[in-house]
Amino acid sequence: MNELRTIRAKSGTNQEGTSAHNRRVIIEAIRLNGPLSRADLARATRLTKQTISNLVENLEVDGLVASEEVVRGGRGQPSTPYRLVPEGAFALGVQIDRHLTRLVAVDLMGQEVARAVANLPPGGPVEGCKLILRLIEAMRADLTRRIPESAYRLAGLGLAMPGPFGLAPSDDETWMMAEWQAFPLVETLAAGTGLATSLQNDATACAAAERMNGSADGLDHAVCIYFGYGIGAGLILGGELYTGSNRNAGEIGMVLFSRGGTPSPLEHRSSLASLFQHLGLDSATTEAYAEVERRTLADDPRILAWLADAAADMRQAVHMVETIFDPQTVILSGSAPEPLAKRLFDAMFPLIPSNADRPGRTLPRLQLGMIGPWAVALGAAAEPIRRAFDPRFSAILKTAS
């Protein structure tokens, strides 16, 4: 079995009335480390053996953990490791972009079990929500046929769309989804599905995906720079996703950068949308995405020139978030074509010297994370799992976050 020094886990508390927090601590410890015995869990979480025994028994009854074969040999008594049961919980995630929607279902481990994609119809969010509800209904029916326990183990519905949220309507519809911003999206989909529903921006969704199964797994301090149609930053601070007072934290795409003496928002200069404009491609079609991928692989000179300028901006963005947030690492992720994102990542080196240049680093300053059109939807689905099962201070207080 794992020794104490190798087990990543948060501390539980032996105070009365904190079982909800302690359950989450145990689930996270097993998720991060793999199967653990009760003795391992007690040592790592600093909970009493009796508390661990009671909690593990309850989690087993609830179908969230299961025992494996007894491990014999070595010091001490034979031990029984416990693993998470992937079918113990499921969640749905919906990405709403300017012209299409993607829907995924994940299990307790954050692994995808179903997906669907459709173009958004004319008629704005009213007709768009009708389509999304039909997709959700069909997916739930399919999951029930394939995995019957999913029908009563859905943790919730996560939504992700471009921010910022709550601002005055903008005439710049290229960058803002004004109709969707003003629409009661969460309320409409919650009422239509009967599921607890939450909304986050696409950058935060990517950070949620990285935290569950990506480069931020097990990290307490990380910044995920989102590179897609727009640009943003998902913030993992103190082990939790930080979204700000209005869910607009990390909107670095709105920060003014200067190139040639003319300031403009970062995402107007170095996002996938700006590249579409640079190439004269129609962003309303999926063909534009495929065309950028083809041209990148063919070393199109116009893309290479754009990448050089975009990399200069993104180097500055990395320096900025390192200076402000002091993360363990910065992760470049997003929904851009993978060949383009990899070229951008490579072109960002060498990074600008910053406070992150310190001796004894164990992680690189910048890593390449999840890239591809499904990254945001996966992160949206990870959010209900996180809310239901990750250790949070609010779980101790028994309040909703």
Side-chain angles (χ1 to χ4, degrees), residues 70-91:
V70 173
V71 176
R72 301 180 185 277
R75 298 179 180 179
Q77 298 296 320
S79 60
T80 301
Y82 289 84
R83 61 175 176 83
L84 291 186
V85 178
E87 298 81 10
F90 298 86

PDB file of all heavy atoms in Angstrom, residues 70-91:
ATOM      1  N   VAL A  70      -8.129  -8.203  -0.566  1.00  0.00           N
ATOM      2  CA  VAL A  70      -7.301  -7.946   0.608  1.00  0.00           C
ATOM      3  C   VAL A  70      -5.832  -8.052   0.234  1.00  0.00           C
ATOM      4  O   VAL A  70      -5.417  -8.947  -0.513  1.00  0.00           O
ATOM      5  CB  VAL A  70      -7.642  -8.947   1.729  1.00  0.00           C
ATOM      6  CG1 VAL A  70      -6.675  -8.792   2.897  1.00  0.00           C
ATOM      7  CG2 VAL A  70      -9.085  -8.756   2.191  1.00  0.00           C
ATOM      8  N   VAL A  71      -5.059  -7.074   0.717  1.00  0.00           N
ATOM      9  CA  VAL A  71      -3.615  -7.073   0.483  1.00  0.00           C
ATOM     10  C   VAL A  71      -2.931  -7.681   1.695  1.00  0.00           C
ATOM     11  O   VAL A  71      -3.100  -7.212   2.821  1.00  0.00           O
ATOM     12  CB  VAL A  71      -3.102  -5.636   0.241  1.00  0.00           C
ATOM     13  CG1 VAL A  71      -1.581  -5.639   0.088  1.00  0.00           C
ATOM     14  CG2 VAL A  71      -3.774  -5.035  -0.992  1.00  0.00           C
ATOM     15  N   ARG A  72      -2.130  -8.728   1.465  1.00  0.00           N
ATOM     16  CA  ARG A  72      -1.421  -9.396   2.555  1.00  0.00           C
ATOM     17  C   ARG A  72       0.080  -9.220   2.374  1.00  0.00           C
ATOM     18  O   ARG A  72       0.565  -8.922   1.292  1.00  0.00           O
ATOM     19  CB  ARG A  72      -1.759 -10.889   2.577  1.00  0.00           C
ATOM     20  CG  ARG A  72      -3.253 -11.158   2.739  1.00  0.00           C
ATOM     21  CD  ARG A  72      -3.544 -12.638   2.765  1.00  0.00           C
ATOM     22  NE  ARG A  72      -4.979 -12.885   2.808  1.00  0.00           N
ATOM     23  CZ  ARG A  72      -5.711 -12.863   3.918  1.00  0.00           C
ATOM     24  NH1 ARG A  72      -5.121 -12.598   5.077  1.00  0.00           N
ATOM     25  NH2 ARG A  72      -7.009 -13.081   3.879  1.00  0.00           N
ATOM     26  N   GLY A  73       0.790  -9.429   3.453  1.00  0.00           N
ATOM     27  CA  GLY A  73       2.239  -9.322   3.386  1.00  0.00           C
ATOM     28  C   GLY A  73       2.707  -7.984   3.893  1.00  0.00           C
ATOM     29  O   GLY A  73       1.943  -7.032   4.034  1.00  0.00           O
ATOM     30  N   GLY A  74       4.001  -7.895   4.169  1.00  0.00           N
ATOM     31  CA  GLY A  74       4.545  -6.652   4.702  1.00  0.00           C
ATOM     32  C   GLY A  74       4.218  -6.511   6.173  1.00  0.00           C
ATOM     33  O   GLY A  74       3.788  -7.444   6.851  1.00  0.00           O
ATOM     34  N   ARG A  75       4.410  -5.325   6.677  1.00  0.00           N
ATOM     35  CA  ARG A  75       4.161  -5.071   8.087  1.00  0.00           C
ATOM     36  C   ARG A  75       2.670  -4.935   8.365  1.00  0.00           C
ATOM     37  O   ARG A  75       1.900  -4.497   7.525  1.00  0.00           O
ATOM     38  CB  ARG A  75       4.866  -3.794   8.514  1.00  0.00           C
ATOM     39  CG  ARG A  75       6.384  -3.845   8.377  1.00  0.00           C
ATOM     40  CD  ARG A  75       7.006  -2.527   8.799  1.00  0.00           C
ATOM     41  NE  ARG A  75       8.458  -2.544   8.671  1.00  0.00           N
ATOM     42  CZ  ARG A  75       9.239  -1.518   8.954  1.00  0.00           C
ATOM     43  NH1 ARG A  75       8.699  -0.385   9.374  1.00  0.00           N
ATOM     44  NH2 ARG A  75      10.552  -1.610   8.801  1.00  0.00           N
ATOM     45  N   GLY A  76       2.282  -5.226   9.571  1.00  0.00           N
ATOM     46  CA  GLY A  76       0.913  -4.986  10.003  1.00  0.00           C
ATOM     47  C   GLY A  76      -0.061  -6.036   9.505  1.00  0.00           C
ATOM     48  O   GLY A  76       0.287  -7.032   8.883  1.00  0.00           O
ATOM     49  N   GLN A  77      -1.332  -5.797   9.808  1.00  0.00           N
ATOM     50  CA  GLN A  77      -2.393  -6.710   9.447  1.00  0.00           C
ATOM     51  C   GLN A  77      -2.739  -6.574   7.962  1.00  0.00           C
ATOM     52  O   GLN A  77      -2.462  -5.552   7.336  1.00  0.00           O
ATOM     53  CB  GLN A  77      -3.628  -6.402  10.290  1.00  0.00           C
ATOM     54  CG  GLN A  77      -3.419  -6.578  11.787  1.00  0.00           C
ATOM     55  CD  GLN A  77      -3.118  -8.016  12.155  1.00  0.00           C
ATOM     56  OE1 GLN A  77      -3.714  -8.943  11.611  1.00  0.00           O
ATOM     57  NE2 GLN A  77      -2.181  -8.198  13.084  1.00  0.00           N
ATOM     58  N   PRO A  78      -3.358  -7.618   7.381  1.00  0.00           N
ATOM     59  CA  PRO A  78      -3.840  -7.491   6.007  1.00  0.00           C
ATOM     60  C   PRO A  78      -4.782  -6.282   5.882  1.00  0.00           C
ATOM     61  O   PRO A  78      -5.532  -5.981   6.816  1.00  0.00           O
ATOM     62  CB  PRO A  78      -4.583  -8.807   5.778  1.00  0.00           C
ATOM     63  CG  PRO A  78      -3.993  -9.757   6.759  1.00  0.00           C
ATOM     64  CD  PRO A  78      -3.631  -8.939   7.962  1.00  0.00           C
ATOM     65  N   SER A  79      -4.710  -5.612   4.761  1.00  0.00           N
ATOM     66  CA  SER A  79      -5.529  -4.413   4.579  1.00  0.00           C
ATOM     67  C   SER A  79      -6.395  -4.548   3.344  1.00  0.00           C
ATOM     68  O   SER A  79      -6.059  -5.262   2.396  1.00  0.00           O
ATOM     69  CB  SER A  79      -4.639  -3.174   4.458  1.00  0.00           C
ATOM     70  OG  SER A  79      -3.772  -3.287   3.353  1.00  0.00           O
ATOM     71  N   THR A  80      -7.521  -3.832   3.375  1.00  0.00           N
ATOM     72  CA  THR A  80      -8.450  -3.833   2.250  1.00  0.00           C
ATOM     73  C   THR A  80      -8.451  -2.459   1.606  1.00  0.00           C
ATOM     74  O   THR A  80      -8.868  -1.474   2.224  1.00  0.00           O
ATOM     75  CB  THR A  80      -9.880  -4.178   2.716  1.00  0.00           C
ATOM     76  OG1 THR A  80      -9.887  -5.451   3.344  1.00  0.00           O
ATOM     77  CG2 THR A  80     -10.836  -4.177   1.532  1.00  0.00           C
ATOM     78  N   PRO A  81      -7.964  -2.348   0.375  1.00  0.00           N
ATOM     79  CA  PRO A  81      -8.008  -1.044  -0.301  1.00  0.00           C
ATOM     80  C   PRO A  81      -9.410  -0.759  -0.850  1.00  0.00           C
ATOM     81  O   PRO A  81     -10.149  -1.677  -1.214  1.00  0.00           O
ATOM     82  CB  PRO A  81      -7.001  -1.189  -1.442  1.00  0.00           C
ATOM     83  CG  PRO A  81      -6.773  -2.644  -1.614  1.00  0.00           C
ATOM     84  CD  PRO A  81      -7.269  -3.364  -0.404  1.00  0.00           C
ATOM     85  N   TYR A  82      -9.735   0.527  -0.913  1.00  0.00           N
ATOM     86  CA  TYR A  82     -11.023   0.971  -1.451  1.00  0.00           C
ATOM     87  C   TYR A  82     -10.782   1.872  -2.654  1.00  0.00           C
ATOM     88  O   TYR A  82      -9.895   2.723  -2.637  1.00  0.00           O
ATOM     89  CB  TYR A  82     -11.833   1.708  -0.385  1.00  0.00           C
ATOM     90  CG  TYR A  82     -12.349   0.790   0.703  1.00  0.00           C
ATOM     91  CD1 TYR A  82     -11.547   0.449   1.784  1.00  0.00           C
ATOM     92  CD2 TYR A  82     -13.628   0.244   0.615  1.00  0.00           C
ATOM     93  CE1 TYR A  82     -12.002  -0.414   2.765  1.00  0.00           C
ATOM     94  CE2 TYR A  82     -14.093  -0.619   1.596  1.00  0.00           C
ATOM     95  CZ  TYR A  82     -13.279  -0.946   2.662  1.00  0.00           C
ATOM     96  OH  TYR A  82     -13.740  -1.812   3.633  1.00  0.00           O
ATOM     97  N   ARG A  83     -11.584   1.672  -3.684  1.00  0.00           N
ATOM     98  CA  ARG A  83     -11.502   2.460  -4.911  1.00  0.00           C
ATOM     99  C   ARG A  83     -12.809   3.194  -5.135  1.00  0.00           C
ATOM    100  O   ARG A  83     -13.853   2.824  -4.564  1.00  0.00           O
ATOM    101  CB  ARG A  83     -11.224   1.555  -6.109  1.00  0.00           C
ATOM    102  CG  ARG A  83     -12.313   0.509  -6.332  1.00  0.00           C
ATOM    103  CD  ARG A  83     -12.099  -0.304  -7.587  1.00  0.00           C
ATOM    104  NE  ARG A  83     -13.100  -1.358  -7.709  1.00  0.00           N
ATOM    105  CZ  ARG A  83     -14.319  -1.198  -8.212  1.00  0.00           C
ATOM    106  NH1 ARG A  83     -14.699   0.010  -8.651  1.00  0.00           N
ATOM    107  NH2 ARG A  83     -15.170  -2.206  -8.284  1.00  0.00           N
ATOM    108  N   LEU A  84     -12.746   4.234  -5.949  1.00  0.00           N
ATOM    109  CA  LEU A  84     -13.975   4.913  -6.342  1.00  0.00           C
ATOM    110  C   LEU A  84     -14.716   4.083  -7.384  1.00  0.00           C
ATOM    111  O   LEU A  84     -14.100   3.396  -8.209  1.00  0.00           O
ATOM    112  CB  LEU A  84     -13.675   6.289  -6.929  1.00  0.00           C
ATOM    113  CG  LEU A  84     -13.142   7.364  -5.983  1.00  0.00           C
ATOM    114  CD1 LEU A  84     -13.052   8.696  -6.707  1.00  0.00           C
ATOM    115  CD2 LEU A  84     -14.017   7.495  -4.746  1.00  0.00           C
ATOM    116  N   VAL A  85     -16.017   4.140  -7.350  1.00  0.00           N
ATOM    117  CA  VAL A  85     -16.862   3.455  -8.332  1.00  0.00           C
ATOM    118  C   VAL A  85     -17.249   4.473  -9.400  1.00  0.00           C
ATOM    119  O   VAL A  85     -17.991   5.426  -9.104  1.00  0.00           O
ATOM    120  CB  VAL A  85     -18.125   2.874  -7.667  1.00  0.00           C
ATOM    121  CG1 VAL A  85     -19.019   2.216  -8.709  1.00  0.00           C
ATOM    122  CG2 VAL A  85     -17.742   1.888  -6.580  1.00  0.00           C
ATOM    123  N   PRO A  86     -16.759   4.347 -10.624  1.00  0.00           N
ATOM    124  CA  PRO A  86     -17.087   5.339 -11.657  1.00  0.00           C
ATOM    125  C   PRO A  86     -18.584   5.564 -11.829  1.00  0.00           C
ATOM    126  O   PRO A  86     -19.038   6.688 -12.050  1.00  0.00           O
ATOM    127  CB  PRO A  86     -16.457   4.753 -12.925  1.00  0.00           C
ATOM    128  CG  PRO A  86     -15.331   3.900 -12.425  1.00  0.00           C
ATOM    129  CD  PRO A  86     -15.839   3.312 -11.134  1.00  0.00           C
ATOM    130  N   GLU A  87     -19.366   4.478 -11.699  1.00  0.00           N
ATOM    131  CA  GLU A  87     -20.817   4.580 -11.868  1.00  0.00           C
ATOM    132  C   GLU A  87     -21.517   5.127 -10.631  1.00  0.00           C
ATOM    133  O   GLU A  87     -22.747   5.166 -10.562  1.00  0.00           O
ATOM    134  CB  GLU A  87     -21.406   3.216 -12.220  1.00  0.00           C
ATOM    135  CG  GLU A  87     -20.906   2.626 -13.526  1.00  0.00           C
ATOM    136  CD  GLU A  87     -19.535   1.957 -13.369  1.00  0.00           C
ATOM    137  OE1 GLU A  87     -19.082   1.793 -12.211  1.00  0.00           O
ATOM    138  OE2 GLU A  87     -18.924   1.624 -14.397  1.00  0.00           O
ATOM    139  N   GLY A  88     -20.732   5.577  -9.630  1.00  0.00           N
ATOM    140  CA  GLY A  88     -21.338   6.122  -8.421  1.00  0.00           C
ATOM    141  C   GLY A  88     -22.019   7.458  -8.635  1.00  0.00           C
ATOM    142  O   GLY A  88     -22.890   7.859  -7.855  1.00  0.00           O
ATOM    143  N   ALA A  89     -21.620   8.185  -9.670  1.00  0.00           N
ATOM    144  CA  ALA A  89     -22.250   9.478  -9.972  1.00  0.00           C
ATOM    145  C   ALA A  89     -21.968   9.839 -11.424  1.00  0.00           C
ATOM    146  O   ALA A  89     -20.975   9.397 -12.013  1.00  0.00           O
ATOM    147  CB  ALA A  89     -21.723  10.571  -9.045  1.00  0.00           C
ATOM    148  N   PHE A  90     -22.867  10.646 -11.962  1.00  0.00           N
ATOM    149  CA  PHE A  90     -22.724  11.138 -13.335  1.00  0.00           C
ATOM    150  C   PHE A  90     -23.065  12.618 -13.351  1.00  0.00           C
ATOM    151  O   PHE A  90     -23.701  13.139 -12.425  1.00  0.00           O
ATOM    152  CB  PHE A  90     -23.650  10.381 -14.291  1.00  0.00           C
ATOM    153  CG  PHE A  90     -23.359   8.905 -14.392  1.00  0.00           C
ATOM    154  CD1 PHE A  90     -23.903   8.013 -13.486  1.00  0.00           C
ATOM    155  CD2 PHE A  90     -22.529   8.422 -15.386  1.00  0.00           C
ATOM    156  CE1 PHE A  90     -23.617   6.662 -13.551  1.00  0.00           C
ATOM    157  CE2 PHE A  90     -22.240   7.067 -15.469  1.00  0.00           C
ATOM    158  CZ  PHE A  90     -22.793   6.184 -14.553  1.00  0.00           C
ATOM    159  N   ALA A  91     -22.646  13.302 -14.404  1.00  0.00           N
ATOM    160  CA  ALA A  91     -23.001  14.710 -14.575  1.00  0.00           C
ATOM    161  C   ALA A  91     -23.038  15.025 -16.056  1.00  0.00           C
ATOM    162  O   ALA A  91     -22.391  14.361 -16.874  1.00  0.00           O
ATOM    163  CB  ALA A  91     -22.001  15.618 -13.856  1.00  0.00           C
TER     164      ALA A  91
END
